[in-house]
């Protein structure tokens, strides 16, 4: 692609004086400014959909250029799209630009077959049909799906069998999209082997249940897709831990580094219970306290200023400063007796590693932070994290940082899977069939 662009530029630059007509030119394209927009569009057509989708990382001007209506309709109608291109056009263009002509072309494609979506984390599971607007059901994974000391196959089989039973569907009728929690965070060989072992166990159980095709994707990538992005940093506040995951073009950048805080939703709920007990407010049910956390707690933009508002006169209220003290432990874990870095420090460290890695021509790919997980829905969290990052990082890195609250609340990963299962290429390259899995397993045995 670079060679093609260079040749075209050399050809045009020799005669740019004779071609400087009234044709509009693409602004802020650097050395390509003198080239008429029509010619630039021809170049983008020649590099193909995959190259066009990747041009968006060069600069904002190129991103704007490749977001042209007619260009992507041309690609849809004439070429076989690579998955990166599919994802870029289906999500970024469709939701971000509201292109009616593209929607018409999109609507004429072969309809996806529909799929079962199972988003099962360490705390709660969401499941349902891809064609439905919302998950059909939710359940507490850690309470309902077997002893954690039982063999992985037995535990997973019980998990999936229970989901299919509740949905009252036969496993062999449709493909399934399964979210995989971010775990075994390192890039070591043992961590890779552990991740592969979990993935293979999921495939083996589902294929033994005669599921026709399986798409297994990590939760962080699904949350990013739900936000209409393919690159960025996902902050997933899970049940036990919080992970900060850098993702570039849909791939987790483990070599850059996944940061982990030993503090999750369970600790937040437990800390709120401790604060309530100090005021003689007691609930035996952890679920009740979790509900109070979700409905009443928030994150203060300025913790010290918020704390100063609550004088001795207000201490008689049932819940007062406890409402924002709960979420504050994400930024000051020591308040809850946890020895780990704060959320803003973990994200800043991840961004610093991304900046140093120089994986692309600019830093824009990691400056979008997407929050995920039920506790990430606390009001004020996104604004506070963005504020802390701007104060912690140098301007060269912090400029342009945006923190996005969970796009679909606690169900964000589920909706990311819904986007994938409604793509025109699904199941296609997204899924593994039983035959493909068995052939791959045979190769491993040899």
């Amino acid at each position: 692609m670079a060679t093609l662009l260079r040749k075209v530029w050399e050809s045009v630059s020799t005669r740019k004086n004779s071609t400087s007509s009234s044709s509009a030119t693409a602004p802020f394209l650097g050395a390509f400014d003198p080239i008429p927009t029509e010619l630039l569009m021809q170049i983008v057509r020649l590099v193909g959909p995959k190259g066009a989708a990747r041009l968006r990382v060069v600069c904002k001007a190129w991103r704007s250029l490749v977001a042209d209506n007619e260009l992507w309709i041309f690609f849809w109608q004439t070429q076989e799209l690579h998955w990166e291109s599919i994802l870029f056009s289906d999500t970024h263009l469709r939701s971000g630009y509201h292109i009616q002509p593209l929607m018409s072309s999109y609507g004429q494609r072969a309809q996806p077959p529909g799929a079962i979506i199972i988003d099962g984390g360490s705390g709660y599971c969401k499941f349902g049909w891809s064609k439905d607007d919302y998950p059909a059901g939710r359940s507490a994974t850690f309470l309902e799906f077997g002893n954690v000391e039982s063999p992985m196959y037995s535990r997973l089989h019980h998990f999936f069998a229970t989901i299919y039973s509740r949905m009252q569907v036969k496993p062999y009728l449709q493909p399934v999209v399964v979210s995989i929690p971010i775990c075994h965070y390192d890039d070591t060989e043992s961590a890779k082997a552990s991740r592969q072992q979990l993935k293979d166990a999921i495939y083996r159980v589902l294929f033994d249940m005669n599921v026709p095709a399986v798409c297994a994707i990590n939760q962080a990538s699904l949350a990013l897709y739900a936000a209409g992005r393919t690159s960025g940093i996902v902050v997933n506040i899970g049940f036990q831990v919080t992970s900060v995951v850098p993702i570039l073009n849909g791939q987790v950048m483990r070599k850059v580094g996944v940061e982990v805080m030993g503090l999750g939703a369970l600790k937040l709920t437990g800390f709120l219970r401790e604060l309530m007990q100090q005021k003689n407010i007691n609930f035996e049910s952890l679920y009740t306290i979790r509900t109070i956390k979700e409905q009443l707690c928030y994150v203060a933009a300025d913790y010290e200023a918020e704390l100063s508002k609550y004088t001795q006169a207000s201490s008689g209220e049932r819940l007062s400063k406890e409402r924002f003290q709960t979420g504050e432990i994400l930024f000051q874990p020591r308040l809850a007796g946890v020895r780990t870095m704060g959320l803003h420090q973990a994200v800043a460290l991840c961004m610093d590693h991304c900046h140093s890695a120089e994986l692309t021509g600019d830093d824009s790919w990691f400056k979008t932070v997407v929050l995920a997980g039920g506790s990430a829905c606390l009001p004020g969290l996104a604004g506070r994290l963005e504020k802390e990052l701007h104060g912690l990082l140098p301007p060269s890195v912090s400029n342009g940082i945006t923190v996005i609250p969970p796009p679909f609340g606690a169900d964000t990963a589920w909706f990311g899977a819904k986007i994938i299962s409604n793509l025109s290429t699904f199941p296609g390259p997204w899924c593994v069939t039983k035959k493909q899995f068995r052939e791959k397993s045979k190769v491993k045995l040899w």
Side-chain angles (χ1 to χ4, degrees):
M1 184 175 70
T3 303
L4 175 61
L5 292 174
R6 185 167 58 252
K7 286 182 177 180
V8 172
W9 168 242
E10 290 172 353
S11 172
V12 173
S13 61
T14 58
R15 52 186 177 84
K16 61 182 179 182
N17 291 332
S18 60
T19 59
S20 56
S21 61
S22 59
S23 300
T25 60
F28 311 116
L29 289 169
F32 292 95
D33 270 347
I35 304 179
T37 304
E38 293 81 1
L39 182 55
L40 285 174
M41 292 304 294
Q42 290 298 324
I43 295 172
V44 178
R45 280 190 171 93
L46 288 173
V47 302
K50 184 177 177 181
R54 288 181 173 177
L55 275 174
R56 72 190 188 278
V57 304
V58 177
C59 67
K60 290 183 179 179
W62 278 105
R63 192 180 310 148
S64 176
L65 184 68
V66 301
D68 182 84
N69 302 19
E70 296 182 0
L71 170 70
W72 284 90
I73 292 175
F74 169 80
F75 285 150
W76 275 104
Q77 294 175 342
T78 63
Q79 302 189 36
E80 182 178 347
L81 300 191
H82 188 268
W83 79 270
E84 292 176 354
S85 313
I86 290 284
L87 201 58
F88 176 67
S89 57
D90 266 15
T91 58
H92 188 69
L93 295 179
R94 184 157 61 96
S95 62
Y97 289 84
H98 305 290
I99 300 175
Q100 192 58 43
L102 179 61
M103 286 294 289
S104 299
S105 175
Y106 180 86
Q108 294 171 6
R109 80 207 194 289
Q111 290 298 312
I116 296 297
I117 299 174
I118 302 175
D119 173 26
S122 57
Y124 290 86
C125 171
K126 282 79 68 175
F127 53 87
W129 280 95
S130 62
K131 295 181 180 180
D132 290 346
D133 293 333
Y134 301 96
R138 296 172 176 82
S139 57
T141 309
F142 67 102
L143 291 178
E144 299 189 32
F145 296 117
N147 188 335
V148 295
E149 295 179 357
S150 63
M152 184 184 296
Y153 183 94
S154 300
R155 198 160 67 248
L156 287 171
H157 190 278
H158 179 53
F159 173 74
F160 290 123
T162 304
I163 295 299
Y164 277 105
S165 175
R166 290 184 181 180
M167 292 188 65
Q168 298 183 344
V169 295
K170 301 296 184 183
Y172 61 82
L173 293 178
Q174 60 284 309
V176 61
V177 182
V178 181
S179 74
I180 303 177
I182 289 287
C183 55
H184 308 295
Y185 304 93
D186 298 333
D187 195 45
T188 61
E189 290 302 317
S190 62
K192 290 178 183 177
S194 297
R195 289 193 295 269
Q196 191 61 49
Q197 182 183 19
L198 173 60
K199 204 167 185 179
D200 287 348
I202 290 172
Y203 284 136
R204 189 170 289 107
V205 169
L206 289 170
F207 289 137
D208 285 349
M209 295 172 65
N210 292 318
V211 173
V214 180
C215 173
I217 304 182
N218 71 79
Q219 287 178 330
S221 294
L222 291 176
L224 197 62
Y225 297 156
R229 307 290 199 280
T230 57
S231 298
I233 291 177
V234 175
V235 175
N236 183 46
I237 303 179
F239 187 66
Q240 297 278 5
V241 300
T242 295
S243 56
V244 181
V245 188
I247 298 173
L248 178 60
N249 296 328
Q251 299 296 316
V252 176
M253 296 289 101
R254 294 186 186 274
K255 290 184 178 180
V256 172
V258 175
E259 304 299 331
V260 183
M261 294 171 55
L263 189 155
L266 184 60
K267 189 62 180 179
L268 288 170
T269 305
F271 185 61
L272 176 59
R273 177 168 60 180
E274 292 175 11
L275 295 175
M276 293 171 67
Q277 286 173 345
Q278 292 173 12
K279 300 187 74 170
N280 294 319
I281 305 173
N282 295 292
F283 291 100
E284 291 186 6
S285 170
L286 202 62
Y287 177 82
T288 302
I289 299 172
R290 169 177 165 259
T291 303
I292 293 172
K293 177 190 71 176
E294 293 174 350
Q295 295 182 356
L296 296 179
C297 289
Y298 64 96
V299 175
D302 186 326
Y303 178 69
E304 296 299 332
E306 195 81 0
L307 198 61
S308 67
K309 294 179 183 178
Y310 288 85
T311 61
Q312 189 67 28
S314 65
S315 62
E317 297 178 9
R318 295 289 285 172
L319 278 182
S320 53
K321 60 185 180 181
E322 296 81 12
R323 295 177 59 201
F324 62 86
Q325 284 178 320
T326 300
E328 186 62 24
I329 68 172
L330 289 169
F331 298 92
Q332 300 188 63
R334 59 179 176 78
L335 295 177
V338 180
R339 297 173 63 88
T340 186
M341 70 181 96
L343 181 60
H344 56 307
Q345 295 165 330
V347 177
L349 183 60
C350 182
M351 286 186 166
D352 185 58
H353 289 161
C354 292
H355 175 71
S356 301
E358 298 182 346
L359 299 179
T360 63
D362 61 42
D363 288 345
S364 61
W365 72 271
F366 63 78
K367 292 190 177 182
T368 296
V369 179
V370 178
L371 303 181
S375 292
C377 299
L378 289 177
L381 177 57
R384 170 70 178 280
L385 178 57
E386 189 171 316
K387 171 190 170 184
E388 295 287 351
L389 289 174
H390 281 285
L392 200 58
L393 292 164
S396 59
V397 180
S398 64
N399 287 340
I401 288 177
T402 302
V403 180
I404 301 175
F408 296 94
D411 300 334
T412 291
W414 190 92
F415 277 91
K418 175 181 168 70
I419 289 174
I420 289 174
S421 58
N422 284 323
L423 293 176
S424 56
T425 52
F426 187 86
W430 296 94
C431 291
V432 174
T433 64
K434 188 173 185 177
K435 181 180 179 182
Q436 290 171 334
F437 177 70
R438 285 185 170 176
E439 289 176 351
K440 187 177 179 181
S441 299
K442 288 179 182 178
V443 171
K444 286 182 179 178
L445 290 174
W446 285 102

